């Protein structure tokens, strides 16, 4: 069984700062694997343990994204593909899907594609469904549990106050949410092993737009139907109101405030 896991490298959202001009500051902020992608990877590694699946990780990003893929190899992935090229810069979900979809055709169509429900960058939750459309695969999104049975994936989707159990024939695209599991940690010997294969080797391939024979007007900012005009941060609402008195008095005052705003 062949599984491809999409890995996006993002700036650690817990370390992002806002400049005095109200702009998001990413300089110096550590780069991490998108949290939902860690859950997707864990689901793939569980299928590797139980079914002997081969796990391939795939990322579109700047050269620094190599580190995210090395981390995924250290967790147990078998091989990695990095799509990196200045032409890929500033993509929206459409341009990202085109590049990832083309790479998946070149890698060879897998039995299962696992992605995160959403990335901590654009948070559009679009790439998974768009990729399914691009490849002509069925899709199941916002999944918190999955298993493979007899050529199908059985997935549990989170709804408002209930679960939906979905069965879909493979090959398929499944997006995994943050409630699915606890990520697997990089493992001793695998960490060393993960850095052995140089970029461009069979186990760690790096592809450009030319390697994928992509149309220049369909990648990066040129191929994006949406452009980010500005990233602004909401005005801070002033210091919080501190309630005083006994716990009962504070609770009564809080309920009063909430009632005044029709929140309860
Ligand atoms: C407000 C905003 C800020 C942005 N900031 C940045 C930024 O700082 N740096 C930057 O590179 N891009 C940035 N982008 C661009 C955005 O990350 C890309 O357009 C992205 O490829 C798709 O959008 P998304 O982040 O909404 O992904 P989503 O659709 O939310 O991602 C869902 C899943 O798709 C997969 N996926 C998404 N992108 C990739 C990828 N590139 N490689 C592999 N798998 C992927 C992952 O599994 C991810 O969990 C930003 C976009 C917006 C709207």
């Amino acid at each position: 069984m062949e599984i491809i896991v999409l890995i996006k490298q993002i700036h650690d959202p817990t370390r992002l700062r806002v400049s005095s001009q109200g702009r998001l500051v990413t300089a110096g902020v550590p780069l991490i694997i998108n949290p939902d992608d860690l859950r997707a990877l864990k689901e793939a590694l569980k299928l590797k343990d139980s079914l002997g699946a081969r796990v391939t990780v795939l990322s579109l990003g700047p050269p620094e994204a190599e580190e995210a893929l090395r981390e995924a190899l250290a967790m147990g992935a078998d091989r990695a593909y990095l799509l990196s090229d200045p032409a890929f810069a500033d993509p929206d979900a459409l341009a990202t899907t085109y590049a990832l979809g083309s790479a998946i055709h070149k890698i060879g169509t897998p039995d299962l594609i696992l992605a995160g429900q959403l990335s901590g960058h654009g948070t559009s939750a679009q790439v998974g469904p768009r990729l399914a459309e691009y490849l002509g695969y069925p899709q199941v999104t916002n999944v918190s549990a999955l298993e493979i049975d007899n050529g199908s994936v059985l997935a549990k989707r989170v709804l408002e106050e209930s679960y939906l159990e979905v069965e879909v024939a493979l090959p398929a695209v499944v997006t995994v949410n943050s409630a699915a599991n606890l990520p697997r940690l990089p493992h001793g010997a695998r960490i060393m092993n993960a850095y052995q294969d140089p970029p461009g080797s069979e186990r760690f391939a790096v592809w450009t737009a030319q390697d994928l024979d992509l149309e220049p007007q369909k990648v990066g900012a040129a191929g994006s139907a949406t452009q980010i005009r500005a990233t602004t941060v909401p005005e801070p609402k002033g210091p919080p109101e501190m309630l005083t008195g006994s716990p009962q008095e504070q609770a009564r005052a809080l309920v009063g405030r909430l009632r005044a705003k029709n929140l309860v």
Side-chain angles (χ1 to χ4, degrees):
M1 180 181 191
E2 293 285 348
I3 303 178
I4 292 184
V5 182
L6 303 187
I7 299 283
K8 179 155 173 70
Q9 187 185 49
I10 63 165
H11 297 96
D12 181 346
T14 64
R15 306 278 293 279
L16 286 173
R17 283 181 309 108
V18 182
S19 73
S20 52
Q21 291 82 34
R23 295 221 170 301
L24 217 51
V25 179
T26 56
V29 174
L31 292 164
I32 60 168
I33 294 182
N34 183 51
D36 282 6
D37 301 349
L38 288 173
R39 271 74 181 193
L41 178 58
K42 172 75 176 282
E43 291 304 316
L45 295 173
K46 288 189 324 192
L47 293 171
K48 175 178 176 173
D49 299 343
S50 58
L51 303 174
R54 176 165 66 162
V55 176
T56 299
V57 285
L58 170 63
S59 187
L60 172 92
E64 302 87 86
E66 173 181 340
E67 185 51 37
L69 293 175
R70 297 278 180 197
E71 222 182 301
L73 291 173
M75 292 175 194
D78 298 293
R79 59 179 181 165
Y81 291 84
L82 174 59
L83 312 184
S84 196
D85 187 324
F88 290 148
D90 303 322
D92 70 353
L94 175 68
T96 299
T97 302
Y98 170 59
L100 292 172
S102 307
I104 290 171
H105 278 142
K106 181 167 176 165
I107 293 169
T109 44
D111 302 292
L112 179 62
I113 296 172
L114 293 176
Q117 171 64 11
L118 55 84
S119 100
H121 268 157
T123 67
S124 68
Q126 285 187 29
V127 171
R130 280 176 178 269
L131 194 58
E133 179 63 23
Y134 183 89
L135 296 169
Y137 280 14
Q139 59 175 286
V140 191
T141 60
N142 204 8
V143 162
S144 59
L146 66 96
E147 57 186 274
I148 303 294
D149 181 36
N150 203 11
S152 288
V153 59
L154 309 177
K156 218 180 205 179
R157 293 193 74 236
V158 180
L159 300 182
E160 201 68 35
E161 283 162 12
S162 61
Y163 282 111
L164 192 66
E165 296 203 355
V166 182
E167 178 174 350
V168 63
L170 295 172
V173 174
V174 172
T175 71
V176 178
N177 64 41
S178 54
N181 56 53
L182 285 177
R184 188 164 287 184
L185 296 173
H187 182 273
R190 275 206 203 106
I191 297 176
M192 308 263 288
N193 200 1
Y195 291 81
Q196 259 158 14
D197 302 85
S201 62
E202 198 181 322
R203 186 163 180 243
F204 199 105
V206 181
W207 285 341
T208 64
Q210 200 176 356
D211 293 327
L212 292 168
D213 203 16
L214 298 180
E215 297 172 49
Q217 74 281 9
K218 284 189 171 176
V219 298
S224 296
T226 56
Q227 267 81 40
I228 302 170
R229 282 269 169 270
T231 310
T232 52
V233 180
E235 289 297 319
K237 287 203 177 68
E241 179 193 355
M242 301 310 287
L243 301 175
T244 55
S246 68
Q248 291 76 6
E249 285 164 343
Q250 290 183 34
R252 221 173 287 119
L254 178 61
V255 171
R257 302 281 187 293
L258 295 175
R259 280 216 177 105
K261 292 183 184 298
N262 299 316
L263 294 171
V264 292

